[in-house]
Amino acid sequence: IAELGGRMVGQMMLTYEWSDWRNGCFWWIQSVFVHDGHRGMGVFSGLFRHVAALAERDPGVCGLRLYVDRGNHAAQRIYAHLGLHASNYEVMEQVFRGPQSRRED
């Protein structure tokens, strides 16, 4: 959680995935939220850098991952600036409820 003046202005959640190929754990960044009034002020960058520093110090962590919508170019630029890059994997899914997945290519 990121706080400013005792008020929550951003958050991210981590989940964990064991990689047998890398003999380590990926930390998945999920549920990212930055309050509207604090976007563009480095809140996410601060959260990310904190988590990345923790992950780099932990010998059991082999990397960080997150999902990003193909159309969310603003987020992709931020993630690239922080050192993330597109992986070799595509996400495949089968949706049973809620809005159906859309493919824009």
Side-chain angles (χ1 to χ4, degrees):
I1 291 185
E3 292 181 329
L4 183 64
R7 183 170 170 243
M8 193 277 291
V9 295
Q11 67 143 48
M12 72 169 52
M13 177 181 77
L14 297 176
T15 58
Y16 311 99
E17 174 193 15
W18 176 256
S19 173
D20 54 347
W21 287 17
R22 292 179 177 87
N23 192 30
C25 191
F26 276 101
W27 286 3
W28 280 87
I29 296 170
Q30 298 184 348
S31 301
V32 173
F33 174 77
V34 175
H35 190 276
D36 285 341
H38 293 86
R39 293 186 181 156
M41 297 174 63
V43 173
F44 173 78
S45 296
L47 286 167
F48 178 84
R49 287 186 178 113
H50 175 71
V51 165
L54 293 173
E56 285 185 59
R57 287 195 304 265
D58 187 329
V61 178
C62 62
L64 298 173
R65 286 184 169 161
L66 57 76
Y67 292 109
V68 61
D69 189 280
R70 283 187 181 100
N72 192 345
H73 302 293
Q76 291 172 31
R77 283 190 298 276
I78 292 166
Y79 300 155
H81 177 75
L82 291 169
L84 294 163
H85 58 82
S87 73
N88 293 328
Y89 301 100
E90 289 281 337
V91 175
M92 299 177 73
E93 65 183 12
Q94 184 177 22
V95 178
F96 297 109
R97 289 172 193 76
Q100 292 296 312
S101 170
R102 67 190 189 314
R103 186 131 177 145
E104 297 181 7
D105 52 21

